[in-house]
Amino acid sequence: MSAPTEGHLDDSTDGVIADPAAVDHAPLAADQIIGQPQRFMFLPLFVVAWFGVNLAVSAILGAAIPKAMLFLDEANKENNTALITSIGGVAVMIITPLFGRLSDRTMSRWGMRKPWMLVGVAIGMVGVVALALAPSIPIMVVGWVIVQVGFGATAMAQHALLADQIPTRIRARVAASVGVASGVATIVASAIVASLPNDQRHLWFLVPGTIGALLALVLVVGYSDAVRTEPAEPFTVREVLSTYWLDPIRYRDFFWAWACRFLVTMSIFTVSLFLLFLIVDVLQVPKEEASGILTLALSIFFVGNIVSTVLFGWVSDRTKRRKPIIWASCFISAIGLLVCMFAGDQTQFLVGIAIIGAGQGAYISVDVAMMTEVLPSAKEAGKDLGIVSLSYQLPQVIGPIAGAFVVGTAGGQNYTALFGYAMVLSILGGLAVLPIKAVR
């Protein structure tokens, strides 16, 4: 790996903004990146690192914590899961936009984003260890908060690189690639937790957390980060507060794209968080075997997901259209949720999961690309993408609470209402992109 170049980079390189400090408050042109051109291995390592972060977080959030609640206190599993995940969601919702803003201003010989990746992974692993050794629910809450802060910082830096280093002309295909990586990570995470002994709870956290952390670090040695050579203006209290806000009237397209992601994420996250419990309560699978069925469901989800992700990512870049694919994805997801709602056995349920996977694959193939194309500023991409991150972090706060409430209605275990609630959110998410003008 070549070390980051000190000072201003070569201004003669086509499509390269030599110094992040020189970027004005306007989106980058289609072929522009910040810093110096990357080597061939940058994109593969970028996908691997994205996979690593998602593996660690997915294993803990989607598999290890619900499984721990199922074994520790089965009667209160929904409420305990909602408590832990919601508090962790509040933490990451607060820190990610702030970290994004600070990374835009970071002056380090290692670059703007690399320090956040390194420190983030280190902090995340402290949280993983805390979860592995936690003797009680309060300690698990603390551990999950630390995990969210650490891996949230790493994920923030990765998202910023998508705007910094990926030209717009290939962004949907790269977004599709990392979307596939996220889907694979979810399945692998569930499979890892399912394969570990039921009486070794600490391994449910340590094994996937360690693997994810190591994979996330490969990107640190795999690219040349943009180095800021000019200090940013003083960071005022007003600027700190603005980190969490963009005027929805002035940046109307950004607001509607944000709303779309929030609603779609709420729809899927609320269902996925309680999927393990649904398998036990509705499909009547013994809790000792439920993790295996969850892995099967996620694998089937992925089959539909990967096909539509690759297909629609290619179609989107070829046609330069994002919105019709968003509409199609939300409609397909709603159909899958409807099938799951009325499923009478495992087969019907898994068919519904496959349809949802296809819908979500279409969505993620264009979602990240669309968000980066409506960013208000290239100069503060980290800060703006931090606000983007709120659209999928806020559901981690609201989703568990709302989901637990919906499931608890009509005497409890009301998963029919949960799927209906998710359908409404999915449809509203598709409608949210209608007012967007900057993206077709």
Side-chain angles (χ1 to χ4, degrees):
M1 181 200 75
S2 60
T5 304
E6 297 290 346
H8 288 265
L9 302 176
D10 184 4
D11 287 319
S12 65
T13 304
D14 291 341
V16 174
I17 302 297
D19 191 329
V23 181
D24 61 14
H25 289 268
L28 294 175
D31 292 334
Q32 286 184 323
I33 62 172
I34 296 175
Q36 61 188 33
Q38 300 299 327
R39 294 181 176 181
F40 170 76
M41 286 303 296
F42 168 69
L43 286 178
L45 293 179
F46 181 71
V47 174
V48 169
W50 194 291
F51 170 86
V53 171
N54 279 274
L55 173 67
V57 175
S58 296
I60 295 170
L61 178 62
I65 289 178
K67 187 173 182 178
M69 296 304 100
L70 195 60
F71 278 81
L72 289 175
D73 187 2
E74 186 172 357
N76 297 302
K77 58 185 182 299
E78 293 94 353
N79 290 335
N80 286 336
T81 300
L83 173 68
I84 294 171
T85 55
S86 293
I87 294 176
V90 171
V92 76
M93 190 173 66
I94 293 172
I95 61 94
T96 303
L98 180 61
F99 285 177
R101 190 71 173 267
L102 293 173
S103 75
D104 289 333
R105 308 165 67 88
T106 297
M107 293 184 64
S108 162
R109 66 181 300 270
W110 296 102
M112 297 166 61
R113 315 299 184 190
K114 281 187 181 182
W116 294 91
M117 295 182 194
L118 284 167
V119 175
V121 168
I123 293 173
M125 281 307 299
V126 171
V128 169
V129 173
L131 281 167
L133 303 178
S136 63
I137 299 297
I139 301 302
M140 292 194 74
V141 170
V142 173
W144 178 235
V145 168
I146 297 173
V147 167
Q148 287 281 64
V149 170
F151 284 112
T154 304
M156 170 279 301
Q158 292 177 350
H159 278 75
L161 287 181
L162 193 62
D164 290 351
Q165 303 293 344
I166 310 299
T168 303
R169 69 184 188 278
I170 62 169
R171 199 169 286 166
R173 278 168 284 180
V174 175
S177 298
V178 296
V180 171
S182 298
V184 175
T186 301
I187 298 170
V188 173
S190 179
I192 289 173
V193 174
S195 69
L196 297 170
N198 286 330
D199 60 350
Q200 300 291 320
R201 180 163 59 90
H202 63 285
L203 295 179
W204 306 347
F205 299 95
L206 287 176
V207 173
T210 302
I211 295 172
L214 291 174
L215 292 176
L217 290 175
V218 300
L219 184 58
V220 176
V221 295
Y223 85 104
S224 299
D225 203 358
V227 177
R228 188 181 186 99
T229 60
E230 298 292 336
E233 297 177 0
F235 207 17
T236 64
V237 174
R238 182 175 181 179
E239 285 182 312
V240 172
L241 295 177
S242 72
T243 297
Y244 302 92
W245 171 259
L246 277 174
D247 187 340
I249 304 300
R250 182 179 179 185
Y251 304 111
R252 195 173 288 112
D253 285 349
F254 180 85
F255 167 76
W256 286 112
W258 189 98
C260 171
R261 175 183 272 207
F262 168 78
L263 290 164
V264 172
T265 304
M266 272 286 288
S267 171
I268 299 305
F269 179 79
T270 303
V271 171
S272 63
L273 184 63
F274 295 98
L275 203 57
L276 184 67
F277 304 150
L278 182 151
I279 290 169
V280 173
D281 294 337
V282 177
L283 301 182
Q284 299 297 305
V285 176
K287 64 182 181 182
E288 292 80 9
E289 303 172 13
S291 292
I293 301 300
L294 176 63
T295 301
L296 174 61
L298 293 175
S299 299
I300 291 173
F301 176 96
F302 177 69
V303 171
N305 189 279
I306 188 171
V307 172
S308 61
T309 297
V310 174
L311 173 63
F312 284 105
W314 178 81
V315 169
S316 179
D317 276 342
R318 291 282 294 181
T319 63
K320 308 301 180 186
R321 292 182 179 273
R322 317 294 194 204
K323 289 161 66 173
I325 295 175
I326 295 290
W327 297 329
S329 72
C330 292
F331 178 72
I332 294 169
S333 295
I335 291 175
L337 290 164
L338 185 65
V339 172
C340 287
M341 180 191 296
F342 294 106
D345 54 37
Q346 278 193 43
T347 300
Q348 294 176 20
F349 174 74
L350 293 174
V351 168
I353 292 294
I355 296 172
I356 296 171
Q360 288 303 293
Y363 177 77
I364 63 177
S365 71
V366 298
D367 165 54
V368 177
M370 182 175 70
M371 290 301 313
T372 57
E373 288 165 15
V374 296
L375 289 179
S377 167
K379 181 178 181 180
E380 296 185 317
K383 185 267 289 186
D384 293 341
L385 285 167
I387 295 177
V388 170
S389 72
L390 294 178
S391 62
Y392 62 84
Q393 290 163 353
L394 193 56
Q396 294 184 34
V397 178
I398 302 173
I401 298 171
F405 173 79
V406 173
V407 171
T409 59
Q413 299 184 9
N414 192 354
Y415 293 99
T416 299
L418 184 69
F419 282 113
Y421 168 72
M423 283 177 57
V424 172
L425 291 173
S426 181
I427 293 169
L428 291 175
L431 294 175
V433 300
L434 284 171
I436 297 176
K437 300 186 184 307
V439 176
R440 293 192 297 164

